[in-house]
Amino acid sequence: MAHATGKSSPAAFAGWTADAGSAVFYAGADGTDAPVGYAVLCPPDFPREMLRDGDIELRRIYTLAAAHGTGLGPALMSAVLKEARGRGHARLLLGVHPDNARARRFYERTGFHVIGKRTFSVGASRFTDPIYALDL
């Protein structure tokens, strides 16, 4: 829990918002300001051997379960892709939990493909996530 709290803290979002190399996307419910989804585009944090000039990372893309199937995920992804291309990036990278089948299907439908793995620790636990890439 501490890992997720720190990585998704108000300070983390403030940092992304203040960073000219990053972009934060927010989706509100129809007719309200109630948050139902968001995405974060930022400089990549992957093993150096996976990186190329022009890479950028999709660090976060989430929608509430109630918004699944509404088109919000594809709309957020479209905004992210437009922004990344507009900034002149050549490739979009992302990491995803290997058991998150719904997200992996979404990324693969969008055209992403696995280019490697990233192993990292959270406390005493080690995790290995597939790394996806999409040429822009």
Side-chain angles (χ1 to χ4, degrees), residues 61-74 77 94 96-110 112 132:
I61 184 167
Y62 292 112
T63 63
L64 291 178
H68 290 176
T70 65
L72 180 60
M77 182 62 80
L94 63 87
V96 63
H97 191 282
D99 295 335
N100 191 341
R102 181 183 185 90
R104 293 183 73 174
R105 284 190 307 271
F106 173 68
Y107 300 138
E108 290 165 7
R109 278 193 314 270
T110 304
F112 285 87
Y132 280 79

Side-chain angles (χ1 to χ4, degrees), residues 11-128:
F13 277 88
W16 289 319
T17 301
D19 177 14
S22 298
V24 177
F25 304 82
Y26 163 84
D30 288 338
T32 74
D33 288 333
V36 293
Y38 69 94
V40 176
L41 191 63
C42 63
D45 182 23
F46 291 104
R48 187 175 307 273
E49 64 272 8
M50 287 186 189
L51 298 178
R52 297 183 196 159
D53 288 340
D55 284 349
I56 192 156
E57 179 180 351
L58 177 55
R59 180 75 52 90
R60 305 269 190 280
I61 184 167
Y62 292 112
T63 63
L64 291 178
H68 290 176
T70 65
L72 180 60
L76 279 169
M77 182 62 80
S78 179
V80 164
L81 293 172
K82 181 178 179 181
E83 181 72 17
R85 289 179 178 122
R87 291 177 178 222
H89 291 284
R91 192 170 68 153
L92 182 60
L93 304 175
L94 63 87
V96 63
H97 191 282
D99 295 335
N100 191 341
R102 181 183 185 90
R104 293 183 73 174
R105 284 190 307 271
F106 173 68
Y107 300 138
E108 290 165 7
R109 278 193 314 270
T110 304
F112 285 87
H113 62 279
V114 175
I115 61 163
K117 296 178 184 176
R118 166 180 58 186
T119 300
F120 60 97
S121 297
V122 177
S125 300
R126 292 192 48 81
F127 298 89
T128 301

